[in-house]
């Protein structure tokens, strides 16, 4: 991997206290704004570029609580939502949680039976099971989420997927994914880690499960009705299902993020399990033109870049296009050299081939 240049992401003291800056999981460039999220909070952060043409620093952070826009399913509105994907399309910013279960970790202080009991504990968090659509307004030249906007003579409200269209409920009888729902994400269970939107279609990339080396991308067609504008519903596809599956040959890797690039989708891919590397960027050609469930082999996918990774750190988790020929990559558990004394984090800008 050859880095074209680096940018500084400068976070507020509040985000530093919440460790958002060292748990980055999603990113999307939106004009002057950079939308970003960590996997330990129920917030979305907005940073502003110093130079929209060729940004070298993003700062002036504003935090937005998801609970200020939609009702979250958890009893605690500030319980982590594990946001793993962000994307902007038209009037809306979209965010998706991992929908995963988690297994307790063995920490250095745990020994013997206590350590084994922790490793045996699997739990879910309701706030992780969200797909949210936030209207975006232009406020003083900066894109800003609002609860409601008017556009084209219509009112558009913040909305969330819930009720009978909840993804874990929909997938429970799926022949491929259903058996993995009780398994934690980092153990090859269900783990959504990327989102892209094109027209009325949403694509969700799955870090897991990966089956015999094949990764999954789910396709949805959400909508709202006038009588319930705060609730996302799902159109059915021709086969009667509320989602469509695409399986991709990513050399055994799972999806870490998705990013639209015209009719293509850029895919950040990495290990499903809690492992270091390999990490790559692939291009799924004409992904947004697929009209049927697809088996995506190497004749439809090209390997664009190899991403450097560390030992226990520098896990690439998010990517976003800058212009047409570069991508911004952010890292979870950044290596020490990425952390600056003033609380900024260093991200990489890479040139696509």
């Amino acid at each position: 991997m050859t880095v074209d240049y680096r940018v500084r992401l400068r976070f507020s003291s509040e985000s530093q206290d919440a460790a958002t800056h060292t748990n980055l999981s999603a990113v999307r460039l939106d004009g002057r704004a950079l939308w970003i999220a960590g996997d330990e909070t129920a917030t979305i952060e907005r940073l502003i570029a110093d130079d929209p043409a060729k940004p070298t620093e993003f700062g002036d952070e504003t935090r937005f609580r998801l609970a200020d826009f939609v009702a979250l399913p958890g009893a605690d509105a500030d319980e982590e939502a594990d946001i793993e994907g962000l994307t902007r399309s038209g009037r809306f910013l979209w965010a998706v949680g991992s929908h995963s279960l988690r297994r307790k970790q063995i920490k250095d202080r745990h020994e013997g039976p206590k350590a084994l009991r922790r490793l045996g504990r699997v739990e879910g968090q309701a706030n992780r099971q969200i797909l949210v659509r936030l209207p975006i307004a232009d406020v003083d030249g900066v894109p800003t989420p609002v609860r409601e906007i008017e556009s084209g003579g219509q009112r558009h409200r913040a909305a969330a997927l819930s009720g009978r269209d909840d993804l874990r409920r929909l997938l429970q009888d799926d022949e491929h994914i259903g058996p993995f729902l009780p398994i934690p994400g980092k153990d090859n269970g269900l783990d959504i880690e990327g989102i892209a939107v094109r027209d009325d279609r949403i694509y969700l990339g799955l870090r897991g499960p990966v089956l015999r080396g094949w990764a999954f991308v789910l396709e949805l067609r959400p909508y709202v009705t006038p009588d319930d504008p705060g609730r996302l519903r799902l159109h059915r596809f021709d086969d009667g299902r509320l989602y469509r599956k695409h399986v991709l040959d990513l050399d055994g890797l799972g999806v870490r993020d998705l990013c639209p690039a015209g009719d293509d989708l850029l895919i950040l891919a990495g290990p499903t399990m809690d492992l270091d590397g390999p990490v790559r960027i692939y291009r799924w050609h004409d992904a947004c033109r697929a009209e049927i469930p697809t088996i995506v082999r190497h004749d439809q996918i090209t390997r664009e870049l190899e991403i450097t990774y560390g030992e226990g750190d520098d896990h690439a988790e998010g990517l976003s296009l800058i212009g047409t020929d570069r991508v911004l990559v952010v890292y979870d558990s950044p290596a020490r050299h990425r952390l600056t004394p003033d609380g900024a984090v260093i991200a990489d800008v890479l040139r696509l081939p």
Side-chain angles (χ1 to χ4, degrees):
M1 177 183 81
T2 300
V3 176
D4 192 33
Y5 65 95
R6 291 188 164 91
V7 298
R8 287 165 40 95
L9 309 179
R10 188 163 42 80
F11 289 88
S12 66
S13 58
E14 186 178 8
S15 285
Q16 293 178 50
D17 291 342
T20 298
H21 66 311
T22 57
N23 289 279
L24 300 180
S25 57
V27 65
R28 194 54 41 93
L29 186 62
D30 182 13
R32 293 179 57 203
L34 186 73
W35 301 107
I36 204 157
D39 57 15
E40 300 291 331
T41 69
T43 64
I44 294 171
E45 279 63 51
R46 185 193 64 198
L47 308 180
I48 303 299
D50 58 349
D51 179 359
K54 186 179 180 181
T56 58
E57 179 172 297
F58 292 89
D60 192 19
E61 180 197 350
T62 304
R63 306 187 84 201
F64 299 96
R65 295 175 67 245
L66 290 174
D68 290 338
F69 302 93
V70 297
L72 298 181
D76 180 359
D78 293 314
E79 177 187 72
E80 72 172 72
D82 199 19
I83 297 297
E84 293 287 353
L86 294 170
T87 193
R88 171 77 191 272
S89 179
R91 296 178 294 268
F92 304 109
L93 176 70
W94 295 80
V96 67
S98 68
H99 287 70
S100 65
L101 303 181
R102 67 177 186 177
R103 186 181 300 280
K104 285 287 189 179
Q105 298 185 50
I106 297 177
K107 299 184 178 180
D108 291 342
R109 66 179 184 273
H110 299 134
E111 298 290 343
K114 184 175 183 178
L116 291 176
R117 284 196 299 270
R118 284 185 62 87
L119 197 60
R121 287 182 58 189
V122 174
E123 58 187 24
Q125 293 174 303
N127 282 355
R128 292 178 170 221
Q129 299 175 38
I130 58 168
L131 175 63
V132 175
R133 186 196 74 175
L134 302 181
I136 297 296
D138 188 310
V139 179
D140 297 327
V142 179
T144 303
V146 294
R147 291 182 62 88
E148 187 174 349
I149 60 171
E150 182 173 353
S151 178
Q154 290 183 300
R155 304 295 296 180
H156 301 280
R157 286 178 52 187
L161 189 69
S162 59
R164 67 184 186 183
D165 293 335
D166 170 76
L167 287 177
R168 286 188 67 91
R169 192 194 68 80
L170 289 179
L171 293 168
Q172 64 186 359
D173 295 323
D174 186 271
E175 64 269 37
H176 300 110
I177 300 171
F180 293 85
L181 292 184
I183 301 173
K186 302 304 183 287
D187 296 347
N188 202 36
L190 175 66
D191 193 357
I192 297 173
E193 289 214 2
I195 183 171
V197 177
R198 175 69 182 274
D199 299 326
D200 67 336
R201 308 294 176 94
I202 287 184
Y203 301 87
L204 301 177
L206 273 57
R207 177 174 175 174
V210 172
L211 304 185
R212 289 300 296 262
W214 293 87
F216 286 86
V217 171
L218 302 180
E219 183 181 345
L220 312 175
R221 297 174 59 206
Y223 70 99
V224 297
T225 60
D227 61 324
D228 196 2
R231 177 185 172 192
L232 293 173
R233 307 289 298 277
L234 295 178
H235 285 296
R236 293 188 182 275
F237 288 91
D238 292 341
D239 61 2
R241 289 195 173 190
L242 296 171
Y243 62 94
R244 190 157 66 182
K245 290 179 293 188
H246 305 277
V247 294
L248 292 76
D249 185 356
L250 301 179
D251 302 306
L253 303 177
V255 177
R256 294 292 185 91
D257 201 4
L258 296 174
C259 182
D263 288 331
D264 303 341
L265 286 180
L266 297 176
I267 302 170
L268 179 64
T272 297
M273 312 295 276
D274 191 12
L275 300 170
D276 296 324
V279 182
R280 298 168 182 150
I281 295 176
Y282 294 86
R283 183 184 292 269
W284 176 9
H285 296 273
D286 294 326
C288 300
R289 293 184 179 181
E291 293 298 331
I292 59 172
T294 47
I295 307 298
V296 187
R297 296 184 170 88
H298 283 168
D299 59 339
Q300 297 167 269
I301 296 178
T302 54
R303 188 187 299 183
E304 302 285 284
L305 292 171
E306 295 278 341
I307 305 295
T308 301
Y309 56 90
E311 294 185 10
D313 58 22
D314 258 7
H315 300 142
E317 286 283 344
L319 84 162
S320 179
L321 270 177
I322 295 183
T324 60
D325 61 350
R326 292 177 174 85
V327 289
L328 172 69
V329 177
V330 300
Y331 299 84
D332 188 9
S333 302
R336 185 174 300 177
H337 69 84
R338 294 190 183 277
L339 303 176
T340 68
D342 60 351
V345 181
I346 305 301
D348 294 329
V349 176
L350 312 176
R351 186 184 291 272
L352 293 169

